[in-house]
Amino acid sequence: MKICTFDGGRVGVVHDEAVFDVTDIFFPDGLNVPWPYPRGDVVVERLPQLRDRLAERVESGAERKPLEAVKLGPSVATPGKIIGAPINYQPHIDEANADKEINHGKTYTRIDDFGLFLKANSSLAGCDTPIDIGFTDRRVDHEIELCAVIGKQGRAISYDDALDHIAGYTIGLDMTVRGKEFPDFRKSPDTFAVLGPYLVTADEIADPNALDFELTVNGEVRQKSNTRDLVFNVQQLVEYASHMYTLYPGDVIMTGTPAGVAPVKSGDRLVATIEGLGTLATAVK
Ligand code: MN
């Protein structure tokens, strides 16, 4: 099943290039969520118990909108945290170590020497919102990444249990200002966490560690790899992250980017595709 957010706070099921509005199934009494708000995303949290009703809505031939006619929001609207893996493909580690504008004097070794970082929730954007780099004249790079979305709360999750904690997957762009500041700062400007076009539930992805993916900029292939080349695969990332903090439904793990990162400029058209997850097309403002 494919779940999207659209038109400013609506929830949809995507089927055959059409969007079925299912906001009323998730929020029958409106947004009746007690304060303090949950640390997770309530749509992702409620998804397992509502799947039958969502499927019925699609099968009943209910009203729908063409996918291209809606404004897509981020695949997860309110993740409690957006977790990033900084160096998780060896060819990207090699290119970072060869480029002073990326490494700023650091030598990258292994992911578990550097840990993970967090992107601010305010950096989230859907693919129909242009990426805004107008606030800086610094180098801003694209990074295509497979994103795993947590479905079940857990702490210290074992490798063997990790996939049971994943609701689904989506495509992410971890946009990055290059520089020597902490990654959390450089990767958190508004619109720098693009998630789209929708969340694909885990049952549709046989093996998240064997997915072809690529990113083109203005039609030219810039990044192309397969998730089998991840240093820490999806299960290891869940295990590693949850050893440090509790993972909640809706939390997003951006799994890292392969080689080929490069600057973007105003007017660029970015098209990211991951096997089974559709195509995220966006633009730089
Ligand atoms: Mn990244």
Side-chain angles (χ1 to χ4, degrees):
M1 187 171 280
K2 298 173 176 68
I3 305 291
C4 72
T5 69
F6 69 102
D7 291 354
R10 311 300 298 176
V11 188
V13 173
V14 179
H15 185 77
D16 284 346
E17 299 297 304
V19 179
F20 294 78
D21 193 327
V22 292
T23 313
D24 62 304
I25 296 177
F26 281 96
F27 302 107
D29 307 313
L31 183 59
N32 189 10
V33 178
W35 184 90
Y37 298 130
R39 291 191 171 162
D41 181 281
V42 293
V43 167
V44 177
E45 184 181 19
R46 292 172 181 178
L47 182 54
Q49 72 215 52
L50 297 176
R51 279 192 67 151
D52 290 350
R53 293 182 57 204
L54 301 175
E56 278 167 25
R57 177 66 57 86
V58 172
E59 283 156 19
S60 72
E63 200 181 323
R64 75 209 75 170
K65 287 181 174 176
L67 183 57
E68 69 268 16
V70 304
K71 182 178 180 181
L72 288 169
S75 310
V76 182
T78 55
K81 50 189 172 299
I82 306 165
I83 301 160
I87 44 169
N88 207 20
Y89 287 85
Q90 190 59 46
H92 175 59
I93 297 172
D94 295 340
E95 78 177 348
N97 283 331
D99 185 340
K100 287 193 178 64
E101 288 181 12
I102 298 181
N103 65 53
H104 285 267
K106 285 194 288 288
T107 300
Y108 293 110
T109 48
R110 279 178 54 91
I111 179 169
D112 42 345
D113 290 332
F114 283 79
L116 305 171
F117 60 87
L118 297 172
K119 286 168 83 82
N121 302 42
S122 50
S123 67
L124 263 182
C127 49
D128 290 331
T129 300
I131 298 164
D132 187 359
I133 62 170
F135 66 98
T136 182
D137 57 4
R138 303 264 297 273
R139 172 177 165 181
V140 175
D141 283 4
H142 54 73
E143 298 189 351
I144 180 177
E145 317 207 352
L146 169 70
C147 297
V149 176
I150 297 300
K152 189 169 81 178
Q153 182 176 326
R155 179 110 201 254
I157 300 165
S158 71
Y159 184 98
D160 289 341
D161 289 344
L163 293 185
D164 292 339
H165 284 262
I166 292 176
Y169 302 91
T170 191
I171 304 171
L173 295 177
D174 173 22
M175 302 302 296
T176 301
V177 177
R178 294 298 171 202
K180 63 184 179 186
E181 302 97 330
F182 291 121
D184 313 63
F185 186 61
R186 294 183 287 103
K187 291 169 171 282
S188 285
D190 292 2
T191 71
F192 272 40
V194 187
L195 293 184
Y198 36 64
L199 172 71
V200 178
T201 52
D203 56 291
E204 294 192 13
I205 302 298
D207 182 0
N209 304 311
L211 301 176
D212 281 323
F213 63 99
E214 72 169 33
L215 173 78
T216 66
V217 178
N218 304 325
E220 179 192 328
V221 177
R222 288 266 188 92
Q223 296 187 271
K224 187 177 175 65
S225 187
N226 184 291
T227 55
R228 76 172 63 91
D229 293 329
L230 284 163
V231 176
F232 271 20
N233 69 15
V234 171
Q235 292 94 316
Q236 284 173 290
L237 287 170
V238 170
E239 182 181 37
Y240 187 55
S242 69
H243 183 77
M244 193 61 88
Y245 29 58
T246 299
L247 300 178
Y248 294 92
D251 281 1
V252 175
I253 301 179
M254 293 187 137
T255 58
T257 203
V261 301
V264 297
K265 61 183 187 310
S266 181
D268 279 351
R269 182 104 185 122
L270 279 57
V271 178
T273 305
I274 298 183
E275 197 180 344
L277 302 184
T279 296
L280 182 167
T282 188
V284 181
K285 190 171 164 185

PDB file of all heavy atoms in Angstrom, residues 19-34:
ATOM      1  N   VAL A  19      -5.117   9.400  -6.236  1.00  0.00           N
ATOM      2  CA  VAL A  19      -5.076   9.579  -4.787  1.00  0.00           C
ATOM      3  C   VAL A  19      -6.501   9.515  -4.229  1.00  0.00           C
ATOM      4  O   VAL A  19      -7.373  10.289  -4.645  1.00  0.00           O
ATOM      5  CB  VAL A  19      -4.441  10.939  -4.418  1.00  0.00           C
ATOM      6  CG1 VAL A  19      -4.423  11.122  -2.905  1.00  0.00           C
ATOM      7  CG2 VAL A  19      -3.031  11.048  -4.984  1.00  0.00           C
ATOM      8  N   PHE A  20      -6.723   8.589  -3.301  1.00  0.00           N
ATOM      9  CA  PHE A  20      -7.990   8.472  -2.580  1.00  0.00           C
ATOM     10  C   PHE A  20      -7.825   9.177  -1.238  1.00  0.00           C
ATOM     11  O   PHE A  20      -6.933   8.830  -0.467  1.00  0.00           O
ATOM     12  CB  PHE A  20      -8.350   6.994  -2.345  1.00  0.00           C
ATOM     13  CG  PHE A  20      -8.643   6.231  -3.610  1.00  0.00           C
ATOM     14  CD1 PHE A  20      -7.610   5.786  -4.430  1.00  0.00           C
ATOM     15  CD2 PHE A  20      -9.941   5.948  -3.980  1.00  0.00           C
ATOM     16  CE1 PHE A  20      -7.879   5.081  -5.596  1.00  0.00           C
ATOM     17  CE2 PHE A  20     -10.227   5.233  -5.140  1.00  0.00           C
ATOM     18  CZ  PHE A  20      -9.188   4.808  -5.959  1.00  0.00           C
ATOM     19  N   ASP A  21      -8.679  10.141  -0.965  1.00  0.00           N
ATOM     20  CA  ASP A  21      -8.600  10.874   0.302  1.00  0.00           C
ATOM     21  C   ASP A  21      -9.122   9.987   1.438  1.00  0.00           C
ATOM     22  O   ASP A  21     -10.292   9.587   1.428  1.00  0.00           O
ATOM     23  CB  ASP A  21      -9.416  12.164   0.204  1.00  0.00           C
ATOM     24  CG  ASP A  21      -9.125  13.120   1.344  1.00  0.00           C
ATOM     25  OD1 ASP A  21      -8.844  12.651   2.468  1.00  0.00           O
ATOM     26  OD2 ASP A  21      -9.180  14.346   1.107  1.00  0.00           O
ATOM     27  N   VAL A  22      -8.252   9.672   2.387  1.00  0.00           N
ATOM     28  CA  VAL A  22      -8.636   8.808   3.519  1.00  0.00           C
ATOM     29  C   VAL A  22      -8.447   9.529   4.853  1.00  0.00           C
ATOM     30  O   VAL A  22      -8.355   8.893   5.908  1.00  0.00           O
ATOM     31  CB  VAL A  22      -7.824   7.486   3.503  1.00  0.00           C
ATOM     32  CG1 VAL A  22      -8.222   6.615   2.306  1.00  0.00           C
ATOM     33  CG2 VAL A  22      -6.312   7.750   3.487  1.00  0.00           C
ATOM     34  N   THR A  23      -8.403  10.861   4.807  1.00  0.00           N
ATOM     35  CA  THR A  23      -8.189  11.641   6.026  1.00  0.00           C
ATOM     36  C   THR A  23      -9.234  11.300   7.087  1.00  0.00           C
ATOM     37  O   THR A  23      -8.919  11.191   8.281  1.00  0.00           O
ATOM     38  CB  THR A  23      -8.254  13.146   5.695  1.00  0.00           C
ATOM     39  OG1 THR A  23      -7.463  13.409   4.528  1.00  0.00           O
ATOM     40  CG2 THR A  23      -7.728  13.985   6.859  1.00  0.00           C
ATOM     41  N   ASP A  24     -10.476  11.084   6.648  1.00  0.00           N
ATOM     42  CA  ASP A  24     -11.564  10.811   7.609  1.00  0.00           C
ATOM     43  C   ASP A  24     -11.389   9.463   8.298  1.00  0.00           C
ATOM     44  O   ASP A  24     -11.877   9.275   9.415  1.00  0.00           O
ATOM     45  CB  ASP A  24     -12.918  10.869   6.886  1.00  0.00           C
ATOM     46  CG  ASP A  24     -13.017   9.814   5.789  1.00  0.00           C
ATOM     47  OD1 ASP A  24     -12.149   9.799   4.892  1.00  0.00           O
ATOM     48  OD2 ASP A  24     -13.943   8.990   5.827  1.00  0.00           O
ATOM     49  N   ILE A  25     -10.705   8.524   7.631  1.00  0.00           N
ATOM     50  CA  ILE A  25     -10.481   7.214   8.269  1.00  0.00           C
ATOM     51  C   ILE A  25      -9.434   7.343   9.387  1.00  0.00           C
ATOM     52  O   ILE A  25      -9.575   6.762  10.460  1.00  0.00           O
ATOM     53  CB  ILE A  25     -10.048   6.162   7.219  1.00  0.00           C
ATOM     54  CG1 ILE A  25     -11.181   5.940   6.202  1.00  0.00           C
ATOM     55  CG2 ILE A  25      -9.654   4.847   7.902  1.00  0.00           C
ATOM     56  CD1 ILE A  25     -10.841   4.965   5.079  1.00  0.00           C
ATOM     57  N   PHE A  26      -8.408   8.154   9.139  1.00  0.00           N
ATOM     58  CA  PHE A  26      -7.377   8.349  10.169  1.00  0.00           C
ATOM     59  C   PHE A  26      -7.856   9.266  11.293  1.00  0.00           C
ATOM     60  O   PHE A  26      -7.455   9.102  12.442  1.00  0.00           O
ATOM     61  CB  PHE A  26      -6.093   8.925   9.542  1.00  0.00           C
ATOM     62  CG  PHE A  26      -5.258   7.902   8.843  1.00  0.00           C
ATOM     63  CD1 PHE A  26      -5.363   7.721   7.471  1.00  0.00           C
ATOM     64  CD2 PHE A  26      -4.375   7.109   9.556  1.00  0.00           C
ATOM     65  CE1 PHE A  26      -4.595   6.758   6.827  1.00  0.00           C
ATOM     66  CE2 PHE A  26      -3.600   6.157   8.921  1.00  0.00           C
ATOM     67  CZ  PHE A  26      -3.714   5.982   7.553  1.00  0.00           C
ATOM     68  N   PHE A  27      -8.678  10.257  10.940  1.00  0.00           N
ATOM     69  CA  PHE A  27      -9.091  11.279  11.920  1.00  0.00           C
ATOM     70  C   PHE A  27     -10.613  11.447  11.892  1.00  0.00           C
ATOM     71  O   PHE A  27     -11.120  12.479  11.452  1.00  0.00           O
ATOM     72  CB  PHE A  27      -8.397  12.611  11.612  1.00  0.00           C
ATOM     73  CG  PHE A  27      -6.898  12.526  11.622  1.00  0.00           C
ATOM     74  CD1 PHE A  27      -6.167  12.563  10.435  1.00  0.00           C
ATOM     75  CD2 PHE A  27      -6.200  12.400  12.822  1.00  0.00           C
ATOM     76  CE1 PHE A  27      -4.780  12.481  10.449  1.00  0.00           C
ATOM     77  CE2 PHE A  27      -4.813  12.318  12.846  1.00  0.00           C
ATOM     78  CZ  PHE A  27      -4.105  12.355  11.658  1.00  0.00           C
ATOM     79  N   PRO A  28     -11.344  10.437  12.381  1.00  0.00           N
ATOM     80  CA  PRO A  28     -12.813  10.508  12.306  1.00  0.00           C
ATOM     81  C   PRO A  28     -13.386  11.664  13.125  1.00  0.00           C
ATOM     82  O   PRO A  28     -14.468  12.142  12.822  1.00  0.00           O
ATOM     83  CB  PRO A  28     -13.265   9.152  12.875  1.00  0.00           C
ATOM     84  CG  PRO A  28     -12.095   8.620  13.625  1.00  0.00           C
ATOM     85  CD  PRO A  28     -10.883   9.179  12.979  1.00  0.00           C
ATOM     86  N   ASP A  29     -12.684  12.109  14.143  1.00  0.00           N
ATOM     87  CA  ASP A  29     -13.176  13.222  14.970  1.00  0.00           C
ATOM     88  C   ASP A  29     -12.358  14.480  14.730  1.00  0.00           C
ATOM     89  O   ASP A  29     -12.203  15.311  15.620  1.00  0.00           O
ATOM     90  CB  ASP A  29     -13.097  12.846  16.458  1.00  0.00           C
ATOM     91  CG  ASP A  29     -13.797  11.528  16.739  1.00  0.00           C
ATOM     92  OD1 ASP A  29     -14.938  11.368  16.258  1.00  0.00           O
ATOM     93  OD2 ASP A  29     -13.204  10.672  17.405  1.00  0.00           O
ATOM     94  N   GLY A  30     -11.800  14.624  13.547  1.00  0.00           N
ATOM     95  CA  GLY A  30     -10.860  15.717  13.311  1.00  0.00           C
ATOM     96  C   GLY A  30      -9.535  15.369  13.950  1.00  0.00           C
ATOM     97  O   GLY A  30      -9.281  14.230  14.344  1.00  0.00           O
ATOM     98  N   LEU A  31      -8.663  16.349  14.079  1.00  0.00           N
ATOM     99  CA  LEU A  31      -7.342  16.103  14.664  1.00  0.00           C
ATOM    100  C   LEU A  31      -7.471  16.125  16.185  1.00  0.00           C
ATOM    101  O   LEU A  31      -7.103  17.077  16.852  1.00  0.00           O
ATOM    102  CB  LEU A  31      -6.318  17.136  14.190  1.00  0.00           C
ATOM    103  CG  LEU A  31      -4.883  16.917  14.683  1.00  0.00           C
ATOM    104  CD1 LEU A  31      -4.344  15.569  14.248  1.00  0.00           C
ATOM    105  CD2 LEU A  31      -3.974  18.020  14.186  1.00  0.00           C
ATOM    106  N   ASN A  32      -8.029  15.036  16.710  1.00  0.00           N
ATOM    107  CA  ASN A  32      -8.314  14.961  18.140  1.00  0.00           C
ATOM    108  C   ASN A  32      -7.169  14.220  18.827  1.00  0.00           C
ATOM    109  O   ASN A  32      -7.294  13.081  19.236  1.00  0.00           O
ATOM    110  CB  ASN A  32      -9.644  14.246  18.348  1.00  0.00           C
ATOM    111  CG  ASN A  32     -10.111  14.331  19.784  1.00  0.00           C
ATOM    112  OD1 ASN A  32      -9.535  15.073  20.579  1.00  0.00           O
ATOM    113  ND2 ASN A  32     -11.125  13.562  20.119  1.00  0.00           N
ATOM    114  N   VAL A  33      -6.019  14.892  18.935  1.00  0.00           N
ATOM    115  CA  VAL A  33      -4.823  14.283  19.509  1.00  0.00           C
ATOM    116  C   VAL A  33      -4.513  14.988  20.819  1.00  0.00           C
ATOM    117  O   VAL A  33      -4.402  16.209  20.846  1.00  0.00           O
ATOM    118  CB  VAL A  33      -3.620  14.415  18.543  1.00  0.00           C
ATOM    119  CG1 VAL A  33      -2.365  13.820  19.165  1.00  0.00           C
ATOM    120  CG2 VAL A  33      -3.924  13.725  17.220  1.00  0.00           C
ATOM    121  N   PRO A  34      -4.422  14.250  21.928  1.00  0.00           N
ATOM    122  CA  PRO A  34      -4.193  14.903  23.224  1.00  0.00           C
ATOM    123  C   PRO A  34      -2.811  15.531  23.320  1.00  0.00           C
ATOM    124  O   PRO A  34      -1.855  15.035  22.730  1.00  0.00           O
ATOM    125  CB  PRO A  34      -4.336  13.752  24.227  1.00  0.00           C
ATOM    126  CG  PRO A  34      -4.040  12.514  23.442  1.00  0.00           C
ATOM    127  CD  PRO A  34      -4.459  12.782  22.035  1.00  0.00           C
TER     128      PRO A  34
END
